[in-house]
Amino acid sequence: MAIACEVVGTVTKSGLVWSNEEHLNANFRAVAAALDDPELPVRVNAALAITELVTVHESVRTAVGLQVGKVIQDLLKLIDETDLDILNRSMEVMVDAFQTELLPVAAQLTQRP
């Protein structure tokens, strides 16, 4: 699953045009579910793929906006677990894309252990 997430992120970044919006949504749902995978490499690649999907696709941005608090918490946990600098870019993209949506959960995020 880690490789599948990496492929989705890479082809999205490379400009893949989905022939069908439902295919995009199915891939997004699979990548979003991978954020909860028990394997660390899968979660890292899922976070990177979601970042690319949010950057390129408005429909994904809208879907992530509904659960952005969880996505940010997942990113924070991954950053703590891995100390990978590449995840910092993901965090920056998410914060930039979802400033308004993050306002209600900002206090919770700043008080995390």
Side-chain angles (χ1 to χ4, degrees):
M1 187 64 175
I3 293 172
C5 290
E6 183 178 4
V7 168
V8 169
T10 300
V11 298
T12 299
K13 189 175 187 175
S14 298
L16 172 74
V17 177
W18 296 89
S19 61
N20 182 319
E21 187 75 14
E22 187 50 40
H23 294 159
L24 168 62
N25 291 332
N27 278 278
F28 160 67
R29 287 190 301 272
V31 169
L35 284 173
D36 296 322
D37 195 275
E39 298 294 326
L40 181 64
V42 174
R43 293 192 315 270
V44 168
N45 280 293
L48 297 174
I50 282 190
T51 302
E52 297 304 331
L53 288 166
V54 162
T55 302
V56 175
H57 300 287
E58 185 64 37
S59 62
V60 172
R61 198 171 308 121
T62 301
V64 170
L66 300 173
Q67 58 183 349
V68 70
K70 179 201 179 304
V71 173
I72 293 294
Q73 288 175 342
D74 290 346
L75 269 172
L76 288 169
K77 185 178 176 187
L78 280 172
I79 290 168
D80 286 347
E81 287 179 35
T82 64
D83 202 30
L84 291 172
D85 289 338
I86 194 164
L87 291 173
N88 292 334
R89 179 187 171 274
S90 292
M91 182 62 74
E92 290 171 9
V93 167
M94 292 297 177
V95 170
D96 286 345
F98 300 107
Q99 291 177 12
T100 304
E101 293 87 343
L102 285 171
L103 287 175
V105 296
Q108 294 172 347
L109 294 173
T110 58
Q111 294 174 358
R112 71 181 188 86

